[in-house]
Amino acid sequence: MTANFRYDINPGRILFGPGTLDAVSDEITRLGAKRALILSTAFQRADARKLAERLGSLAAGVFSEAAMHTPVAVTLNAMAAFDAAGADCVVALGGGSTIGLGKAIAWRNDTPQIVIATTYAGSEVTPILGQTEDGIKTTIRDRKILPEVVIYDPTLTLELPVAMSVTSGLNAIAHAVEGMYARDRNPVSSLMAVEGVRALRDALRVIVDEPADLSARTSALYGSWLCGSVLGSVGMALHHKLCHTLGGSFDLPHAETHAIVLPHSVAYNAQAASRELQPMADLFGGPIGGALHDFAASVGAPLALRDLGLEESQLDIAADLAVKNPYWNPRPVERDAIRALLQRAWEGARPE
Ligand code: NAD
């Protein structure tokens, strides 16, 4: 029998499938807007410009300085560009960094957002904004932050490099795995988590050999939508706390850190949440920590924090920070056990 639950469903419009990029003009108009500021990173500037050309007079301009961790200084420049161009909505084309910039603008001026998601990070379906100022990353959750429209066009992911596809996919899987034992989980979030991980597991196995396989790319994006939706609706635990600490304090790259830490953080919780994690263990074919490690290795993911440049001498500080203001977690967060977990993640050892 299903226990009592509460489920706050995020509103939003999802357009999914190859070719959905063609809908951007109609979506701008549907929102009652007339001039969209297109956002991207410098790396995706050419794609953003191409989109602006296609949109013609509906494009107010391109701002292509989005950066990892959403620095407030960049947001303020983007706000100035938004006002100078007379924009009345934003179109974010890219991954979590670009989407974060759109959210940061919307949080300040409540502009409508259309997101064209091109990685698997999942930010496009969450009302969460992480931004950095003076080296400190803060997280805000607000209704204004949730994008109004999300377009998932898998043809835009065909050139996402394999290494990034793998780590970004594991980042998405991490949302779903932690969603399984979230205190505020519900039957729908758990269904989405299992289906999302199944889709990503199967898709990543193909993408490593055939990066331009449209069917696998479509499945991966479908899985990332589901996993992102889990992140957007239930609370995260130890794994996300560890990754925020490592990313924020030691400037480790986001997706790679998630990919490396996940088997270890989930192994830490495996006994305390054995019933909740059983569907994930079934998907990966064994006790979840080791099975996820083997899966990550099989798709060529990085396995050791030392390979990201973290020094062994920093592990004590990381453990101290990780146990400060811990998120709720199914197993008590104990400093010595966390230090041991970090050691294994640093070495790239297979979890017990
Ligand atoms: P990213 O957005 O930083 O992208 C990495 C690089 O890949 C960029 O240069 C980008 O332009 C490029 N790229 C993106 N899509 C591409 C494609 N299809 N083809 C070729 N290149 C492409 O990476 P990310 O992992 O998507 O995002 C990480 C950021 O997102 C972090 O700052 C993280 O904190 C944030 N995030 C936030 C949430 C949330 O809910 N608030 C959720 C997940 C991630």
Side-chain angles (χ1 to χ4, degrees):
M1 202 176 79
T2 303
N4 293 10
F5 62 89
R6 196 189 73 189
Y7 180 21
D8 295 312
I9 302 174
N10 289 324
R13 177 172 159 90
I14 309 293
L15 280 78
F16 188 94
T20 43
L21 183 68
D22 294 345
V24 180
S25 301
D26 287 351
E27 291 303 314
I28 294 172
T29 309
R30 212 185 131 268
L31 287 169
K34 293 190 172 63
R35 289 180 63 73
L37 182 66
I38 319 294
L39 307 175
S40 75
T41 60
F43 187 77
Q44 287 175 294
R45 184 177 295 142
D47 294 331
R49 287 196 176 141
K50 218 188 300 169
L51 177 62
E53 261 171 47
R54 282 176 65 173
L55 293 179
S57 62
L58 285 173
V62 172
F63 183 89
S64 54
E65 291 161 38
M68 186 81 92
H69 305 310
T70 326
V72 170
V74 174
T75 301
L76 297 180
N77 288 341
M79 301 278 306
F82 183 94
D83 291 338
D88 57 8
C89 72
V90 291
V91 174
L93 172 70
S97 297
T98 304
I99 297 165
L101 177 60
K103 289 173 155 185
I105 296 172
W107 183 59
R108 287 167 173 80
N109 68 9
D110 205 11
T111 190
Q113 305 168 65
I114 297 173
V115 171
I116 303 157
T118 65
T119 70
Y120 308 135
S123 177
E124 64 282 355
V125 282
T126 81
I128 306 162
L129 164 65
Q131 55 178 4
T132 41
E133 192 167 26
D134 300 328
I136 296 171
K137 187 161 183 173
T138 47
T139 303
I140 304 157
R141 184 180 264 270
D142 192 281
R143 181 193 53 78
K144 283 189 285 187
I145 291 169
L146 182 74
E148 279 75 1
V149 180
V150 181
I151 293 176
Y152 289 105
D153 187 336
T155 61
L156 302 177
T157 62
L158 296 176
E159 288 174 18
L160 184 65
V162 167
M164 174 85 193
S165 304
V166 164
T167 53
S168 191
L170 285 162
N171 183 191
I173 288 173
H175 308 327
V177 167
E178 287 231 295
M180 294 301 284
Y181 51 62
R183 222 176 0 171
D184 55 353
R185 66 186 178 276
N186 64 70
V188 175
S189 64
S190 299
L191 281 172
M192 290 193 295
V194 174
E195 173 66 357
V197 171
R198 185 205 56 74
L200 273 161
R201 178 201 64 180
D202 294 348
L204 291 178
R205 284 178 174 152
V206 177
I207 287 169
V208 288
D209 294 324
E210 296 287 341
D213 184 310
L214 183 59
S215 162
R217 288 295 189 179
T218 304
S219 292
L221 210 50
Y222 164 68
S224 81
W225 165 53
L226 292 170
C227 294
S229 301
V230 174
L231 172 70
S233 54
V234 304
M236 296 290 115
L238 175 68
H239 171 76
H240 281 72
K241 170 74 181 182
L242 283 174
C243 292
H244 286 175
T245 303
L246 292 166
S249 307
F250 305 102
D251 205 26
L252 297 191
H254 177 83
E256 288 88 337
T257 306
H258 271 273
I260 293 170
V261 173
L262 181 63
H264 302 279
S265 49
V266 78
Y268 186 92
N269 286 329
Q271 267 194 345
S274 62
R275 192 169 47 87
E276 292 81 1
L277 284 170
Q278 192 55 50
M280 292 292 166
D282 293 344
L283 279 175
F284 289 100
I288 186 65
L292 262 173
H293 173 95
D294 296 344
F295 173 73
S298 75
V299 291
L303 298 174
L305 288 174
R306 68 172 154 206
D307 294 340
L308 301 185
L310 189 71
E311 300 292 335
E312 192 169 14
S313 59
Q314 293 175 308
L315 295 178
D316 280 323
I317 310 166
D320 291 342
L321 291 171
V323 299
K324 249 194 218 163
N325 309 318
Y327 299 178
W328 178 86
N329 191 62
R331 173 179 162 192
V333 176
E334 292 150 0
R335 202 261 175 210
D336 289 351
I338 295 299
R339 176 65 181 77
L341 179 169
L342 287 169
Q343 184 70 35
R344 287 192 294 276
W346 186 80
E347 290 169 3
R350 189 178 190 275
E352 299 292 307

